[in-house]
Coordinates of all heavy atoms in Angstrom, one line a residue:
Chain A
A17 N -38.8 20.4 106.7 CA -40.2 20.4 106.7 C -40.7 19.7 105.4 O -41.7 18.9 105.4 CB -40.7 21.9 106.7
L44 N -45.1 19.6 95.7 CA -44.1 19.7 96.7 C -42.7 20.0 96.1 O -42.0 20.9 96.6 CB -44.1 18.4 97.5 CG -43.3 18.4 98.8 CD1 -44.0 19.3 99.8 CD2 -43.4 17.0 99.4
R47 N -42.4 23.5 94.7 CA -42.4 24.5 95.8 C -40.9 24.5 96.4 O -40.4 25.6 96.7 CB -43.4 24.2 96.9 CG -43.2 24.8 98.2 CD -43.4 26.3 98.1 NE -43.3 26.9 99.4 CZ -42.9 28.1 99.7 NH1 -42.6 28.9 98.7 NH2 -42.8 28.6 100.9
A68 N -59.0 24.4 95.7 CA -60.3 24.0 95.1 C -60.2 22.7 94.5 O -61.0 21.7 94.6 CB -60.8 25.1 94.1
L72 N -62.2 19.2 95.3 CA -62.9 18.6 94.2 C -62.4 17.1 94.2 O -63.3 16.1 94.0 CB -62.6 19.2 92.9 CG -63.6 20.3 92.5 CD1 -63.1 20.9 91.1 CD2 -65.0 19.7 92.4
V74 N -61.3 15.2 96.5 CA -61.8 14.4 97.6 C -63.2 14.1 97.4 O -63.7 12.9 97.6 CB -61.5 15.2 98.9 CG1 -62.2 14.5 100.1 CG2 -60.0 15.3 99.2
V110 N -46.5 25.0 112.9 CA -47.9 24.5 112.7 C -47.9 23.3 111.7 O -48.5 22.3 111.9 CB -48.8 25.7 112.1 CG1 -50.1 25.2 111.6 CG2 -48.9 26.8 113.1
L123 N -52.0 5.2 110.4 CA -52.2 3.9 111.1 C -53.6 3.5 111.2 O -53.9 2.4 111.6 CB -51.6 4.1 112.6 CG -50.1 4.1 112.6 CD1 -49.7 4.3 114.0 CD2 -49.5 2.8 112.0
L170 N -36.9 9.3 120.7 CA -38.0 8.3 120.7 C -37.6 7.1 121.5 O -38.4 6.5 122.2 CB -38.3 7.9 119.2 CG -39.0 9.0 118.4 CD1 -39.3 8.4 117.0 CD2 -40.3 9.4 119.1
A205 N -67.3 -11.4 99.8 CA -68.5 -10.6 99.7 C -69.7 -11.6 99.9 O -69.5 -12.8 99.8 CB -68.7 -9.9 98.4
V251 N -76.6 -14.9 87.0 CA -75.3 -14.2 86.9 C -74.5 -14.4 88.2 O -73.4 -14.8 88.2 CB -75.5 -12.6 86.7 CG1 -74.3 -11.9 86.7 CG2 -76.4 -12.4 85.5
S252 N -75.2 -14.2 89.3 CA -74.4 -14.3 90.6 C -75.2 -15.1 91.6 O -76.4 -15.3 91.6 CB -74.1 -12.9 91.1 OG -75.3 -12.3 91.3
H270 N -67.5 -35.5 117.7 CA -66.7 -34.6 118.6 C -66.3 -33.4 117.8 O -66.4 -33.3 116.5 CB -65.5 -35.4 119.0 CG -64.6 -35.8 117.9 ND1 -63.5 -35.0 117.5 CD2 -64.7 -36.8 117.0 CE1 -62.9 -35.6 116.5 NE2 -63.6 -36.7 116.1
R305 N -75.9 -22.6 109.6 CA -74.7 -22.6 110.4 C -73.7 -21.7 109.9 O -72.4 -21.9 109.8 CB -74.1 -24.0 110.5 CG -75.1 -25.1 111.0 CD -74.6 -25.6 112.4 NE -75.7 -26.1 113.1 CZ -75.8 -26.3 114.4 NH1 -74.7 -25.9 115.1 NH2 -76.8 -26.8 115.0
T322 N -66.0 -24.1 118.7 CA -65.8 -25.5 118.5 C -66.6 -25.9 117.2 O -67.7 -25.5 117.0 CB -66.5 -26.3 119.6 OG1 -65.9 -25.7 120.9 CG2 -66.1 -27.7 119.6
T385 N -57.5 -21.9 85.8 CA -56.8 -20.7 85.5 C -57.4 -19.5 86.3 O -58.6 -19.4 86.5 CB -56.7 -20.4 84.0 OG1 -56.1 -19.1 83.8 CG2 -58.1 -20.4 83.4
D394 N -75.4 -16.9 79.0 CA -75.6 -18.2 79.5 C -74.2 -18.7 80.0 O -73.5 -19.5 79.4 CB -76.1 -19.2 78.5 CG -77.5 -18.9 78.2 OD1 -78.3 -18.5 79.1 OD2 -77.9 -18.9 77.0
D398 N -71.6 -21.6 78.6 CA -70.3 -21.2 77.9 C -69.1 -21.9 78.6 O -68.2 -22.4 78.0 CB -70.1 -19.7 78.0 CG -71.1 -18.9 77.2 OD1 -71.8 -19.7 76.4 OD2 -71.2 -17.7 77.3
S442 N -47.3 -22.2 115.8 CA -48.4 -23.2 115.9 C -49.8 -22.5 115.6 O -50.7 -22.5 116.4 CB -48.5 -23.8 117.4 OG -47.3 -24.3 117.8
V467 N -68.9 -31.0 98.6 CA -68.3 -31.4 97.4 C -67.4 -30.3 96.8 O -68.0 -29.2 96.7 CB -69.3 -31.9 96.4 CG1 -68.6 -32.4 95.1 CG2 -70.2 -33.0 96.9
F480 N -52.3 -28.4 98.6 CA -51.1 -27.5 98.8 C -51.4 -26.0 98.8 O -50.5 -25.1 98.9 CB -50.0 -27.7 97.8 CG -49.5 -29.2 97.7 CD1 -49.8 -30.0 96.7 CD2 -48.8 -29.7 98.8 CE1 -49.4 -31.3 96.6 CE2 -48.4 -31.0 98.8 CZ -48.7 -31.8 97.7
Q495 N -45.6 -13.5 95.2 CA -46.4 -14.6 95.8 C -45.7 -15.9 95.5 O -46.3 -17.0 95.7 CB -47.8 -14.6 95.3 CG -48.8 -13.7 96.0 CD -50.2 -14.0 95.7 OE1 -50.5 -15.1 95.4 NE2 -51.0 -13.0 95.7
S501 N -42.6 -18.0 101.1 CA -42.3 -18.8 102.3 C -41.7 -17.9 103.3 O -42.1 -18.0 104.5 CB -41.5 -20.0 102.0 OG -40.1 -19.8 102.4
S549 N -47.1 6.3 137.3 CA -46.0 5.8 136.5 C -45.4 7.1 135.8 O -44.2 7.1 135.5 CB -46.3 4.8 135.5 OG -47.5 5.1 134.9
P567 N -17.1 15.2 136.5 CA -16.6 14.3 137.6 C -15.9 15.2 138.6 O -15.1 16.0 138.3 CB -15.7 13.3 136.9 CG -15.4 14.0 135.6 CD -16.4 14.9 135.3
R624 N -1.9 16.8 145.7 CA -2.5 18.1 145.3 C -1.5 19.0 144.6 O -1.8 19.6 143.6 CB -3.1 18.8 146.5 CG -3.8 20.1 146.2 CD -5.3 19.9 146.0 NE -5.6 19.0 144.9 CZ -6.7 19.1 144.2 NH1 -7.6 20.0 144.5 NH2 -7.0 18.3 143.3
A630 N -2.5 13.9 139.1 CA -2.3 12.9 140.3 C -2.0 11.6 139.8 O -2.7 11.1 138.8 CB -3.7 13.0 141.1
L635 N -3.2 8.0 144.2 CA -4.6 8.4 144.5 C -5.3 7.3 145.2 O -6.0 7.5 146.1 CB -5.2 8.8 143.2 CG -6.7 9.2 143.3 CD1 -7.0 10.3 144.2 CD2 -7.2 9.4 141.9
Q639 N -7.2 7.1 148.8 CA -8.6 6.7 149.0 C -8.7 5.5 150.0 O -9.6 5.6 150.8 CB -9.2 6.3 147.6 CG -9.5 7.5 146.8 CD -9.8 7.2 145.3 OE1 -9.3 6.1 144.9 NE2 -10.5 8.0 144.6

Side-chain angles (χ1 to χ4, degrees):
Chain A
L44 193 65
R47 164 66 178 154
L72 267 181
V74 174
V110 172
L123 288 178
L170 288 184
V251 179
S252 62
H270 64 94
R305 302 247 159 201
T322 308
T385 172
D394 293 321
D398 292 350
S442 304
V467 178
F480 303 111
Q495 276 192 34
S501 105
S549 46
R624 178 93 304 205
L635 175 64
Q639 285 166 336

